[in-house]
Amino acid sequence: AQTEMDTVEQELTALHQQVTDLKLNFTKITSEAEALKISLKQVEGTLNRAQTLFQKLSEEKLRWDEQVKNIENGAVLLPKYCLIAANFVTYLGGYPENVRAKCLQKWTDIVLGTDADTHQHWNVLRFMQNESDLLQWKAQGLPDDVLSYENGMILLNTTLYPLIVDPNGDATQWLCNHLNNSMQIAYEIIQESDARFLKQLQLSVRFGKTLIVTDIDGLNPCLYPLLRRDM
């Protein structure tokens, strides 16, 4: 009987050990299953993000293809656009908005020919300056209207000496701010009636400074050689 008791106890001990091992194994498998669930969620999240990104990139590709097409078309017409813009800057600075629009439309029809209809929304201001330029000009004090922006564009791109009709002084103040902040160009501002005018003019020519002459009632003869570029 004692032997049988010992045998039963040994078997019971072995069963307890098996139960313990099974519990440990179950805990391990449960932990691994939970880790797999977490990993699966992460993979699903990554997959969803990848699909979203792929969809957005597909949409971007369509937009990029359209931009490439526009750039290629624009490259072919670039010399014509430059010709129209050069005419605008050279000849239309002294004219009001309606005359500018009329001339620009006429030049566009002539220069672009059959392409004029497909490029009817082409804008000379946007061709010459980007959006950041216009925002910078506005921050520097230029009035926020198309005419002022066009005048600023003409002023900064012309090879002529501009005459600015500026009763409020807004354009002059903007020009000073732009020369000082954006272009970092040395300049002097002086009235034509100032006794130091001729001396300042000589110094500006000698040292290559930009000279802004204000309150001009007429053209001083001493300016003729400069305006004719005889010097």
Side-chain angles (χ1 to χ4, degrees):
Q2 184 64 38
T3 303
E4 292 180 357
M5 196 89 153
D6 292 339
T7 302
V8 170
E9 287 180 356
Q10 291 176 359
E11 291 178 352
L12 185 60
T13 301
L15 288 173
H16 279 302
Q17 184 61 43
Q18 288 180 3
V19 170
T20 302
D21 293 341
L22 288 172
K23 286 182 178 180
L24 291 175
N25 191 36
F26 177 77
T27 302
K28 180 181 178 182
I29 292 175
T30 303
S31 300
E32 291 177 351
E34 192 64 28
L36 286 174
K37 287 182 180 179
I38 295 173
S39 178
L40 179 61
K41 288 183 179 180
Q42 292 176 344
V43 170
E44 288 176 346
T46 302
L47 181 60
N48 290 334
R49 289 192 296 272
Q51 289 176 339
T52 302
L53 179 61
F54 180 77
Q55 182 180 359
K56 291 183 178 180
L57 287 176
S58 298
E59 296 172 355
E60 283 294 299
K61 183 179 183 302
L62 295 176
R63 188 174 65 86
W64 293 336
D65 289 341
E66 184 66 23
Q67 286 183 341
V68 168
K69 182 179 178 181
N70 292 335
I71 290 173
E72 289 175 348
N73 293 337
V76 174
L77 296 173
L78 183 60
K80 296 181 179 181
Y81 288 152
C82 291
L83 178 60
I84 297 172
N87 281 344
F88 188 94
V89 170
T90 303
Y91 298 112
L92 296 183
Y95 292 96
E97 291 174 283
N98 61 324
V99 177
R100 291 181 182 182
K102 183 178 179 180
C103 290
L104 188 60
Q105 183 61 53
K106 184 176 181 180
W107 292 342
T108 301
D109 292 339
I110 294 173
V111 174
L112 296 182
T114 57
D115 295 315
D117 293 336
T118 59
H119 295 273
Q120 58 182 339
H121 299 299
W122 179 77
N123 186 291
V124 65
L125 179 61
R126 301 293 178 176
F127 178 73
M128 294 294 293
Q129 311 293 156
N130 56 45
E131 187 66 27
S132 62
D133 292 333
L134 304 185
L135 291 175
Q136 187 179 62
W137 294 357
K138 179 181 178 181
Q140 291 169 346
L142 189 67
D144 187 20
D145 59 83
V146 175
L147 182 62
S148 296
Y149 286 135
E150 287 181 352
N151 289 339
M153 179 264 292
I154 292 172
L155 185 64
L156 296 179
N157 289 281
T158 184
T159 58
L160 305 175
Y161 296 106
L163 174 64
I164 305 174
V165 180
D166 185 31
N168 296 326
D170 294 335
T172 304
Q173 184 61 48
W174 164 75
L175 180 59
C176 292
N177 290 335
H178 185 74
L179 292 175
N180 186 47
N181 298 328
S182 298
M183 303 181 70
Q184 298 182 345
I185 293 178
Y187 72 92
E188 296 290 341
I189 182 167
I190 192 171
Q191 293 183 351
E192 186 187 26
S193 59
D194 194 305
R196 300 177 295 111
F197 172 67
L198 290 178
K199 182 64 175 178
Q200 190 61 60
L201 178 63
Q202 293 174 354
L203 292 175
S204 296
V205 172
R206 180 178 179 183
F207 294 106
K209 286 187 176 181
T210 297
L211 183 64
I212 303 174
V213 184
T214 62
D215 300 328
I216 294 180
D217 294 327
L219 195 58
N220 194 312
C222 69
L223 295 174
Y224 291 165
L226 285 174
L227 298 179
R228 291 196 302 260
R229 303 181 187 275
D230 292 339
M231 300 179 66

